[in-house]
Amino acid sequence: MARRSWAEPYKIKMVELIKMSSPEDRLQAIREAGYNTFLLKSEDVYIDLLTDSGVGAMSDRQWSGLMMGDEAYAGSRNFYHLRDTVEQYYSYKYTVPTHQGRGAENIISQLLISDGDYVPGNMYFTTTRLHQELAGGTFVDVVIDEAHDPSSEHPFKGNVDFDKLDALVEKVGAEKIPYICIATCVNMAGGQPISMANLKQLRTWCDKHGIMLVHDMTRVAENAYFIQQREEGYQDASVQQIVYELCSLTDAATMSSKKDAMVNIGGFLAMNDPKFYERACELVVVYEGLHTYGGMAGRDMEALAIGITESVDDQHIRARVGQVEYLGEKLKSAGVPIVNPIGGHAVFLNARKILPHIPQERFPAQALSAALYLESGVRSMERGVVSAGRNKDTGENYMPKLELVRLTIPRRVYTQAHMDVTAESVIDVMERADQIKGLRFTYEPEVLRFFQARFELVT
Ligand code: PLI
């Protein structure tokens, strides 16, 4: 029998109107934004693929959950619903809500990292690394080399390289490593999964060295889907089962609920150790709010609890990743260089290949992202040298091998037709790529510079 197509496991009940702007309006908008797509007004954007964070479409069940908000300052029933849901689906016993993922990163970094510590991870993430550094730590990349190679077809580019980990222990000693931070479906590598086998091996390694294993579980459901599709022994397991198994291999987790769990705001820190929970409760009241709401309204915790149950549904995740794959395949078949294999939440354009005439110091991915907006009103995000920032000790720019533009697909928001228009826009930009010029900073913030930096064209 021929392979059956997937279809979205929902129908649309309400729509938000969007409109295409004129080329003149877009030129003015991108100039005013200093060629930074973060600084564009949303109303000037046609198809918004900046991020998948906080921009998903909630279900009718989630919206009805909003009406069930218990906004008590202390002990909201929605908190207990969230806590129980986290334990049921993600295995962690204790949950500390935070306003979003970086709130949880701040707390875990402050609690566990001391000056001079090292924190290994399977590739950096911008806010994660910054909080580690602010707490006095140094991030160390221990992902496999294939993760830095856009053309490698490795099915699990999020895997940890144990030689790199062993070398770090040898150099600094296990007592200088408070924890290892492992992301599922590694964002900066192109939405690439870690395998269950690699995570199990890491669990054993951590036990041997007495090092804690922390899980950035922001996109764990997408990782679980790739395991189901690619890893031997998991074909008959549900995404829900795989998600639970992944989480239960780790000691604690930080979560940005704005991705997998399809809410507009929220996050949490979760763990199994009661002592660690106690300390996190002490700190959350300083930065976020009481431990039964963190930074969240009761209604948002309710929508989140419902979103978690929807996020691990096999039909949902198949359609979600399927839509990303649809866009990626269209671009690939037109000869557009993208990161392989196609990731879980986004298609990443290889700006080095598309703009070989722009050196990395002139920010090719930033320039490509601005050019794509100008062409079509499609908003994307730079994930290259600008996002990588500067080394905290030397002040030099990090020069990542991956110089990418991310076309990030919000969950349950756009249709296949939007993907077609996006693909056509990228192909049009590719055809006149030699006319695209590099950029230089006119304003460079000290930290997380990609959010607010401004640029001008280098002519
Ligand atoms: O944006 P937050 O503070 O809710 O979460 C921070 C965060 C942590 N880990 C990972 C893997 C992320 O992707 C992440 C946020 N990502 C954003 C905003 C993105 O556009 O990818």
Side-chain angles (χ1 to χ4, degrees):
M1 198 176 77
R3 184 172 169 267
R4 281 285 184 92
S5 299
W6 54 267
E8 291 81 357
Y10 53 82
K11 54 185 180 176
I12 295 166
K13 196 178 291 210
M14 186 191 274
V15 296
E16 179 181 341
L17 302 182
I18 53 176
K19 67 177 188 337
M20 175 68 123
S21 51
S22 68
E24 296 74 31
D25 289 343
R26 290 197 295 277
L27 182 60
Q28 190 180 342
I30 197 73
R31 278 187 182 150
E32 282 175 8
Y35 298 89
N36 185 348
T37 52
F38 275 99
L39 300 180
L40 289 166
K41 289 185 188 137
S42 147
E43 62 185 13
D44 292 331
V45 173
Y46 176 42
I47 298 176
D48 202 348
L49 307 184
L50 181 74
T51 180
D52 61 334
S53 182
V55 290
M58 291 207 296
S59 67
D60 49 0
R61 292 169 66 243
Q62 285 179 291
W63 278 103
S64 64
L66 289 184
M67 299 307 293
M68 301 303 288
D70 169 5
E71 306 305 341
Y73 189 92
S76 160
R77 74 171 165 265
N78 311 119
F79 165 72
Y80 296 105
H81 184 198
L82 174 61
R83 183 198 65 182
D84 294 346
T85 306
V86 169
E87 187 173 6
Q88 182 184 346
Y89 289 90
Y90 298 148
S91 82
Y92 307 109
K93 282 199 180 61
Y94 304 103
T95 298
V96 182
T98 56
H99 75 285
Q100 54 184 80
R102 68 199 72 180
E105 291 171 344
N106 174 36
I107 291 171
I108 201 162
S109 301
Q110 287 207 36
L111 284 178
L112 300 181
I113 301 172
S114 309
D115 234 353
D117 279 349
Y118 294 85
V119 187
N122 55 349
M123 202 172 271
Y124 88 100
F125 184 70
T126 54
T127 57
T128 319
R129 184 179 66 192
L130 179 65
H131 281 295
Q132 291 163 357
E133 290 177 352
L134 290 173
T138 299
F139 167 80
V140 182
D141 190 348
V142 295
V143 79
I144 57 172
D145 287 343
E146 287 87 341
H148 294 278
D149 174 5
S151 65
S152 161
E153 292 280 358
H154 196 294
F156 292 105
K157 283 175 152 182
N159 280 359
V160 165
D161 180 334
F162 288 93
D163 289 340
K164 292 182 185 174
L165 263 186
D166 288 336
L168 182 67
V169 171
E170 181 99 338
K171 189 170 148 208
V172 305
E175 62 288 352
K176 284 275 174 208
I177 304 174
Y179 64 93
I180 295 179
C181 181
I182 290 304
T184 31
C185 246
V186 183
N187 191 352
M188 301 302 277
Q192 305 292 329
I194 181 171
S195 71
M196 191 70 84
N198 190 261
L199 192 62
K200 281 184 180 163
Q201 198 182 339
L202 184 61
R203 175 74 267 167
T204 309
W205 189 96
C206 286
D207 290 342
K208 178 176 146 204
H209 293 279
I211 295 173
M212 195 172 158
L213 181 49
V214 174
H215 178 197
D216 178 342
M217 59 175 295
T218 296
R219 295 183 182 85
V220 67
E222 289 161 12
N223 199 116
Y225 176 73
F226 285 127
I227 288 176
Q228 185 191 58
Q229 298 301 307
R230 297 177 187 168
E231 192 163 351
E232 221 182 301
Y234 285 92
Q235 275 66 43
D236 296 328
S238 66
V239 165
Q240 183 180 331
Q241 288 165 333
I242 301 170
V243 163
Y244 191 90
E245 188 177 345
L246 283 167
C247 294
S248 59
L249 287 167
T250 65
D251 299 303
T254 56
M255 172 66 157
S256 168
S257 333
K258 302 167 72 175
K259 282 83 164 173
D260 255 10
M262 295 172 286
V263 287
N264 302 122
I265 195 72
F268 56 80
L269 179 61
M271 68 283 279
N272 293 319
D273 177 358
K275 278 271 166 265
F276 182 36
Y277 175 61
E278 214 171 86
R279 293 176 63 215
C281 288
E282 285 169 17
L283 211 55
V284 78
V285 292
V286 181
Y287 293 104
E288 305 279 329
L290 191 72
H291 61 283
T292 57
Y293 73 86
M296 297 181 73
R299 56 178 171 268
D300 290 325
M301 290 191 281
E302 190 60 26
L304 169 55
I306 298 166
I308 289 170
T309 65
E310 293 178 3
S311 75
V312 297
D313 176 78
D314 280 272
Q315 296 308 310
H316 158 72
I317 203 78
R318 180 174 177 223
R320 190 281 183 282
V321 179
Q323 190 178 42
V324 179
E325 193 184 352
Y326 175 83
L327 174 62
E329 288 298 345
K330 269 210 143 197
L331 291 171
K332 251 163 91 159
S333 58
V336 178
I338 63 170
V339 172
N340 290 315
I342 297 163
H345 68 303
V347 176
F348 290 71
L349 309 178
N350 186 349
R352 273 181 197 275
K353 279 257 170 84
I354 297 173
L355 303 177
H357 59 288
I358 303 182
Q360 202 168 14
E361 306 78 65
R362 291 282 171 248
F363 313 130
Q366 188 77 35
L368 182 59
S369 180
L372 179 62
Y373 170 74
L374 204 51
E375 169 74 31
S376 59
V378 172
R379 171 153 69 172
S380 58
M381 184 193 287
E382 191 266 8
R383 294 276 81 157
V385 60
V386 179
S387 295
R390 292 179 185 274
N391 182 299
K392 72 175 170 120
D393 299 320
T394 65
E396 293 294 316
N397 277 319
Y398 286 112
M399 289 291 188
K401 288 204 180 108
L402 299 177
E403 181 66 29
L404 310 173
V405 168
R406 190 180 73 175
L407 301 166
T408 338
I409 314 302
R411 294 163 186 80
R412 307 194 290 208
V413 170
Y414 290 117
T415 65
Q416 210 143 302
H418 292 108
M419 298 301 108
D420 291 340
V421 170
T422 300
E424 288 159 17
S425 309
V426 172
I427 293 161
D428 284 348
V429 170
M430 269 260 297
E431 279 167 7
R432 50 172 200 81
D434 56 344
Q435 295 162 31
I436 297 173
K437 296 186 173 69
L439 298 167
R440 71 174 146 245
F441 281 118
T442 56
Y443 166 60
E444 181 186 354
E446 262 180 45
V447 294
L448 300 178
R449 63 186 184 181
F450 57 95
F451 282 131
Q452 290 146 340
R454 304 182 73 83
F455 304 84
E456 63 185 8
L457 290 176
V458 180
T459 47

